[in-house]
Amino acid sequence: QATMSVSISVFLYEGFAYNIIFLGRILPAVGKQALIVPFAILFNLVWGMALWSYARAHLADPGYVPDQWRDFVRNIGDSLPIAPARPEWQPGKATYCKKCDIPRPERAHHCLLCEVCVLRMDHHCPWINNCVGFRNHKFFLLLGIYACLASFIALATSLPELVHCAGALTRIEDGLVFETGTGANFKAYEGFISSGENILEQSMTLEEAKERCGELPTCKGFTFQGKPKDGRKVHMYFKDKWDIWGTNWTSYRRSMPEASTGLEVTDILVFMIFGILALFIAVLLTPMLATHVPLATQNLTTIEDNYENMPNPFDQGSTAANLAQVFGAYGLDWPLPVYAWKPLSDGVSFARSDERLGPDGLPERPEGEEAEMLWRSRYRVRTQVAIVQEEPVDNGPLTSLARWWHGP
């Protein structure tokens, strides 16, 4: 529960910081209002899909052994061959779970945390507080993909402002609230600023002075002796008031765009934490996806990846065909966190590489045949032979006498 609470909090914080702080305050302050709408659409589309996938992965039944299978086992009785569970490939074999006290289908495993057997179990994920199995494996993969993509989008779109704010944080003086300099405009005047206090004196280039003045909340402009020379440092005086007097000096007056808003230190701190979390999520999810996606393209789970007794009997021969075993038949539902519109397995019987498949993706069988008939074939259910008691043959008078003697 604690791990899940952390993951949800991070998700919500990322959305709040990006939409309220970055789009609502940072971009207007730096004069990039034109980017707000496209950035908002791009990020929120992917972020929303990640949240949707998270909810489905957490809430969905991961693939508990269905009642139909339990009824099937109960009706078949001793005719169902049961194999001991081993850490190896066991296609077409029902294995016995000692904890659940019931035979389970191929590829099913017992989760010690959930205390149930799960169809085609992959692993138990503490981040979603649920098992990952046959029915929510798709949601888990989509969650990883969308969450990682949202983090990269957040970092890519906000990187210039993150770098600028990181530098600005190191130059905060006396706890002052500051505004980012890239949104400030400067107009040159001849003369020096005669009134007001010198809030800062420092030698720097003209461009550095503009940026520095933009970061000081009370700076009205800066002044220096002589004419500006590109790339050369001169001694700058930063003022908190504005008036012009004299000659042989140059002054620059600061003005902000109308839509610009001041940024407080708390805005920048929230924004910087957002950047750190986005980077953390990207670093965490990238290797996870590098592990789970290749396994899905081979129709493998993390448990089955350790099996070495035979080649993967469920490999369909291509990346697309193997992914279809997880996502269902290829269609518009693949990128959506919804149950497959055309599933290619029932979770109890899985198509093998040496079988011909029917239109439903399951092993080919006579039209109209029920799934349980396929299970009988797949799990090699023994046919019960009825024993018929034959009437004794009358072989003569001695036989008749014996029958009379012993009674009916």
Side-chain angles (χ1 to χ4, degrees):
Q1 292 289 347
T3 307
M4 178 181 170
S5 298
V6 170
S7 60
I8 293 177
S9 299
V10 170
F11 258 120
L12 297 179
Y13 183 90
E14 289 287 283
F16 164 79
Y18 191 90
N19 287 287
I20 304 302
I21 303 300
F22 176 61
L23 298 181
R25 295 183 63 80
I26 302 289
L27 287 186
V30 299
K32 295 183 178 179
Q33 293 88 338
L35 297 177
I36 294 176
V37 173
F39 281 4
I41 294 174
L42 178 62
F43 173 80
N44 286 295
L45 177 63
V46 179
W47 180 68
M49 292 296 289
L51 278 181
W52 186 9
S53 301
Y54 187 97
R56 294 308 306 273
H58 166 65
L59 297 173
D61 164 13
Y64 302 135
V65 176
D67 291 337
Q68 187 179 3
W69 168 262
R70 296 175 185 271
D71 295 339
F72 172 76
V73 171
R74 189 179 304 110
N75 295 333
I76 294 301
D78 294 337
S79 298
L80 176 67
I82 301 175
R86 298 191 180 95
E88 63 183 20
W89 289 113
Q90 294 179 289
K93 293 181 180 180
T95 57
Y96 190 78
C97 177
K98 295 180 180 179
K99 294 182 172 60
C100 294
D101 194 27
I102 188 174
R104 61 194 177 196
E106 58 185 359
R107 308 184 78 179
H109 296 277
H110 188 86
C111 175
L112 295 176
L113 295 176
C114 295
E115 298 182 344
V116 292
C117 285
V118 177
L119 303 176
R120 200 183 63 194
M121 178 179 171
D122 190 90
H123 70 289
H124 184 92
C125 179
W127 298 104
I128 63 173
N129 194 31
N130 199 4
C131 275
V132 177
F134 171 70
R135 290 179 62 81
N136 69 343
H137 198 174
K138 172 187 177 182
F139 306 151
F140 172 77
L141 292 176
L142 289 178
L143 166 61
I145 292 171
Y146 285 129
C148 188
L149 186 57
S151 297
F152 279 117
I153 290 175
L155 288 172
T157 55
S158 64
L159 186 60
E161 286 67 39
L162 283 170
V163 173
H164 181 82
C165 289
L169 275 178
T170 63
R171 298 192 297 270
I172 295 179
E173 299 175 358
D174 301 324
L176 293 175
V177 176
F178 62 92
E179 297 174 353
T180 48
T182 53
N185 297 320
F186 292 89
K187 184 176 181 181
Y189 294 86
E190 184 178 3
F192 62 90
I193 305 174
S194 60
S195 61
E197 298 292 333
N198 289 337
I199 57 177
L200 177 65
E201 293 184 34
Q202 190 173 346
S203 294
M204 59 183 68
T205 64
L206 179 60
E207 292 304 317
E208 291 173 340
K210 290 180 180 180
E211 182 176 356
R212 192 70 181 98
C213 182
E215 294 167 356
L216 297 172
T218 59
C219 181
K220 300 298 184 182
F222 57 92
T223 186
F224 57 92
Q225 191 171 16
K227 299 293 182 181
K229 296 180 180 179
D230 292 338
R232 296 189 61 180
K233 291 186 177 182
V234 294
H235 198 73
M236 304 286 185
Y237 300 86
F238 296 84
K239 297 285 190 175
D240 60 357
K241 293 185 178 179
W242 176 264
D243 61 5
I244 290 294
W245 187 264
T247 58
N248 296 326
W249 284 67
T250 302
S251 299
Y252 279 81
R253 185 173 186 175
R254 173 193 180 189
S255 62
M256 295 295 294
E258 291 182 3
S260 176
T261 57
L263 296 178
E264 298 189 4
V265 176
T266 53
D267 295 332
I268 305 304
L269 290 175
V270 170
F271 184 52
M272 294 303 299
I273 294 173
F274 152 81
I276 294 172
L277 289 176
L279 180 62
F280 172 77
I281 294 173
V283 171
L284 179 69
L285 292 182
T286 298
M288 188 209 76
L289 289 175
T291 299
H292 285 278
V293 172
L295 288 177
T297 62
Q298 302 172 65
N299 197 7
L300 285 171
T301 64
T302 53
I303 297 175
E304 295 167 343
D305 190 37
N306 299 305
Y307 295 168
E308 298 179 348
N309 61 313
M310 66 173 69
N312 179 7
F314 302 105
D315 185 2
Q316 300 301 304
S318 69
T319 296
N322 284 330
L323 285 176
Q325 293 295 309
V326 178
F327 287 78
Y330 182 76
L332 297 177
D333 60 317
W334 268 35
L336 301 177
V338 297
Y339 288 122
W341 294 344
K342 295 181 180 179
L344 299 186
S345 174
D346 57 7
V348 172
S349 178
F350 295 91
R352 295 205 291 261
S353 54
D354 57 350
E355 294 176 320
R356 294 183 60 182
L357 304 183
D360 56 0
L362 295 171
E364 194 173 45
R365 61 188 188 276
E367 185 176 355
E369 185 177 82
E370 297 294 333
E372 290 191 11
M373 296 303 296
L374 174 62
W375 298 352
R376 286 176 174 270
S377 173
R378 169 55 55 86
Y379 293 99
R380 300 179 178 88
V381 175
R382 292 183 289 265
T383 302
Q384 294 182 346
V385 179
I387 300 177
V388 180
Q389 186 175 3
E390 297 181 355
E391 291 291 333
V393 181
D394 189 355
N395 291 321
L398 291 179
T399 303
S400 299
L401 180 61
R403 292 174 58 190
W404 174 82
W405 180 261
H406 292 289

